[in-house]
Amino acid sequence: MKFRRNMAAISLDPRLNLQATRKSNQHGVVLEEIEGLIRVHKDGYVERPPMIPSVPSTLALPPGVVAKDVVIDKFANLWARIYVPSHPGNLPMIVYFHGGGFCVGSAAWSCYHEFLAKLASQASCVIISVNYRLAPDNRLPAAYDDGFKALMWVKQQALNECSEQKWWLSKCNLSSLFIGGDSAGANIAYHVTTHSGSCDPSILRPLSLKGTVLIQPFFGGEARTWAEKCATQPPYSALTLSNSDTYWRLSLPLGASRDHPWCNPLTKASVAKLRDLMLPSMMVCVSELDILKDRNFELCNALSSMGIRVETTMHKGVGHAFQVLHNYHLSYSRTQELISNIKAFTIKQ
């Protein structure tokens, strides 16, 4: 089922990988660049320097956690890394989408592997970490299409009694499905959730969607919020306003503004459509030093005003992507706090 055509953003200290930031004249003029992460050349060539390493599924897992990579659609190169803890009983499952401004990132990135393995272990849940197609090679709605396709793949595995995926399915409570993600991945999780809510209620059976977890969801708009204009960002922040704008230029359909509904879900037309949807409870995790803070709160208020149950958590003293980049001295304690909040949310639904 296709989305009609009409971030999550990670930026590290470029000094950590000087070689990755060297300009190359091989493909001509560079049109767009986020230093150390992505360069888009005039001839269409896209460079993604390996600032963050990709690691195998078996690397440094917590005790009792098994992780494997599975193919969802080999033709689209769509795959997932699945984390299964050894906890007893049937566990909630989270279909999770990584951040990276829709343009960079991978389910195999070391920072996501570490965070999601820890989340599976400590929150007692099975996690299906989806590796979706990236922009600008595949502009939106490619990531949304991949997200919904991954959800339908999970459904098909649940229906297939002879499935090769029994190693993780046998641990899952099919009536306790969650969709989640951080930054651009949270944007994907939101749009996959609303798309599912616009479909026939039986579309997910035998799965039952209980909730959506949005960690620092990446949204935007043409009008700037106070946090976008005035919030002081520490050096090497995971998301600056300039980087945010670049990600949107690279990921939205050509010619679209930041008030496109995929970027700004609070336009009048978008809000009007939400009123007719059956949406699950949502958890929105906000970071105090994040330039997206105001937009995250605006989304919470809008959803609550429509009668949707929204649980909002504020993580003080940290900024965007703290749970995967550890670029704040409070990152460890706030990540533990985040994991505890997610666990409580999945238990309550």
Side-chain angles (χ1 to χ4, degrees):
M1 187 168 295
K2 294 285 186 182
F3 286 79
R4 288 193 300 257
R5 295 182 184 272
N6 251 358
M7 174 169 173
I10 296 175
S11 177
L12 301 179
D13 180 351
R15 295 175 301 180
L16 297 177
N17 192 345
L18 294 176
Q19 184 177 1
T21 64
R22 292 175 182 166
K23 296 257 194 306
S24 167
N25 294 324
Q26 183 178 357
H27 293 278
V29 176
V30 175
L31 295 181
E32 298 277 10
E33 179 175 12
I34 296 176
E35 193 171 11
L37 284 172
I38 188 169
R39 284 192 293 269
V40 181
H41 294 258
K42 188 175 182 179
D43 67 356
Y45 182 73
V46 179
E47 292 181 79
R48 295 182 178 88
M51 175 72 82
I52 298 175
S54 293
V55 298
S57 62
T58 54
L59 182 70
L61 294 167
V65 174
V66 174
K68 296 179 184 178
D69 294 341
V70 300
V71 175
I72 294 175
D73 183 342
K74 64 181 180 181
F75 299 105
N77 196 27
L78 178 61
W79 60 274
R81 179 165 293 182
I82 303 181
Y83 300 87
V84 183
S86 59
H87 299 78
N90 291 328
L91 307 177
M93 70 174 114
I94 303 176
V95 176
Y96 192 93
F97 303 98
H98 66 78
F102 301 110
C103 297
V104 298
S106 168
W109 265 13
S110 58
C111 56
Y112 279 103
H113 179 70
E114 177 188 354
F115 171 63
L116 294 177
K118 183 185 297 185
L119 180 63
S121 176
Q122 297 183 12
S124 302
C125 54
V126 173
I127 296 178
I128 302 164
S129 176
V130 180
N131 199 74
Y132 52 87
R133 287 172 292 169
L134 299 176
D137 322 56
N138 299 280
R139 289 177 177 267
L140 295 174
Y144 302 148
D145 292 338
D146 287 353
F148 193 73
K149 182 181 290 186
L151 200 60
M152 291 297 98
W153 178 84
V154 173
K155 168 188 171 173
Q156 290 304 318
Q157 303 314 305
L159 290 171
N160 183 2
E161 294 183 359
C162 299
S163 172
E164 296 177 358
Q165 310 301 327
K166 286 295 185 183
W167 65 274
W168 61 269
L169 267 173
S170 62
K171 296 288 293 183
C172 293
N173 179 356
L174 300 182
S175 297
S176 189
L177 168 68
F178 294 82
I179 301 174
D182 65 280
S183 197
N187 177 301
I188 296 169
Y190 175 83
H191 284 294
V192 170
T193 297
T194 56
H195 182 63
S196 300
S198 69
C199 300
D200 187 285
S202 65
I203 192 167
L204 289 179
R205 290 177 190 161
L207 307 176
S208 179
L209 180 58
K210 293 298 186 183
T212 299
V213 178
L214 307 178
I215 304 171
Q216 308 138 2
F218 182 49
F219 292 110
E222 287 297 317
R224 303 297 194 188
T225 66
W226 181 91
E228 288 172 340
K229 291 186 296 184
C230 304
T232 301
Q233 292 295 289
Y236 316 121
S237 172
L239 183 65
T240 65
L241 189 60
S242 173
N243 289 354
S244 173
D245 289 350
T246 299
Y247 283 133
W248 285 121
R249 285 195 300 272
L250 293 176
S251 57
L252 286 171
L254 290 171
S257 77
R258 291 191 306 274
D259 281 330
H260 190 288
W262 294 338
C263 177
N264 185 354
L266 299 183
T267 61
K268 287 184 179 180
S270 297
V271 170
K273 291 179 181 178
L274 281 178
R275 298 184 187 281
D276 298 326
L277 304 183
M278 294 292 293
L279 298 179
S281 299
M282 295 201 185
M283 176 182 183
V284 182
C285 308
V286 185
S287 294
E288 183 182 27
L289 305 182
D290 189 357
I291 63 168
L292 299 179
K293 175 177 65 174
D294 294 344
R295 292 197 183 276
N296 291 174
F297 281 128
E298 289 172 358
L299 178 68
C300 294
N301 292 336
L303 294 173
S304 295
S305 70
M306 287 180 276
I308 299 166
R309 287 182 296 171
V310 180
E311 182 175 317
T312 308
T313 64
M314 165 66 84
H315 300 279
K316 294 187 176 296
V318 289
H320 199 77
F322 71 88
Q323 73 285 353
V324 290
L325 292 186
H326 311 305
N327 51 347
Y328 295 86
H329 73 280
L330 289 172
S331 289
Y332 178 79
S333 60
R334 294 294 181 260
T335 299
Q336 293 302 118
E337 177 182 278
L338 173 65
I339 290 173
S340 295
N341 290 336
I342 293 173
K343 181 176 182 178
F345 180 73
T346 61
I347 292 173
K348 283 188 295 187
Q349 305 311 314

